[in-house]
Amino acid sequence: MADVKTGRKRKVVIEAEAPIPVVPGQGELFGGVPAEAVTVTAAAPDPIEPVSAVSPPDLPSAGQDLLPVAVATPKKRRAASEGERKHLTLLEVDRLLAATKENLRTGLRDRCLILLMFRHGLRVTEACAMRVDQVDLESKILQVQRLKGGLSTTQPLRTEEIRLLKGWMAERERWLRQWRKKEGGTGAALDRQALFLSARGTALSRKTFWALLRGYGELAGLALPPHPHMLRHACGFALADQGADTRLIQDYLGHRNIQHTVRYTATNPVRFEKLWR
């Protein structure tokens, strides 16, 4: 697998103490419930179906995050041309999720990560930097910490997301237990707070996820090579297709400038349905 340059390093500063607002109306996105319903912390979780045929037979060792297929990952992402599509369709996202089932070692983790990035419009750095305490499965909420000065919000988790998160959290604990046994019970080098762990016990890196996503794109037979930011754009276009207004999408994605959000709603055909009647 070729090395990938991820560009300039950014210093990620997360203020965990800062209050995270709930965006009015965001609970109705992706067919959910109104936002007022998800702010109740005493809500009982839905019954969770067991995740089958996804537990890896052995704990992955260092270097086993990558897929067992040869994927030519470019050293630098080529700038998209003016007319080239910069997002994934819903069908392509579904095919990526299905492709993760071919990876018995880290497929459950990757499937959970891809779904959260799509449903919540996460940047790859935001996703890889997620901590365990940002997830509240009992209240069915996710605290989304935005970078680039974006608006951080509390967003509802859907049933499918909760199912995958519960499955991954159980698998994550199994990884940690086996790592602690191998290290004599200390586990000093492990990152216990990182939500998505690598095969080395540290937070999953952007470079590793980039290579994984490209590999899943190959397995899924996608017409264009996917990169992580395509999942964020896919979220914006999917919300626009559902009829969400520009302001709501802006808050959901954490855009400070609404001009970054207009791209999703300006070209949506739903806007023109009432013309020529």
Side-chain angles (χ1 to χ4, degrees), residues 180-203:
R180 283 193 291 266
K181 289 180 181 179
K182 290 183 178 181
E183 295 176 1
T186 62
L190 303 178
D191 189 344
R192 295 179 179 83
Q193 294 303 314
L195 179 59
F196 294 105
L197 294 174
S198 69
R200 296 180 297 276
T202 58

Side-chain angles (χ1 to χ4, degrees), residues 142-162:
L142 175 70
Q143 295 181 352
V144 179
Q145 299 282 358
R146 297 295 185 190
L147 302 179
K148 295 187 177 181
L151 175 67
S152 296
T153 56
T154 298
Q155 300 182 1
L157 290 168
R158 317 297 173 193
T159 303
E160 184 181 4
E161 298 168 46
I162 294 173

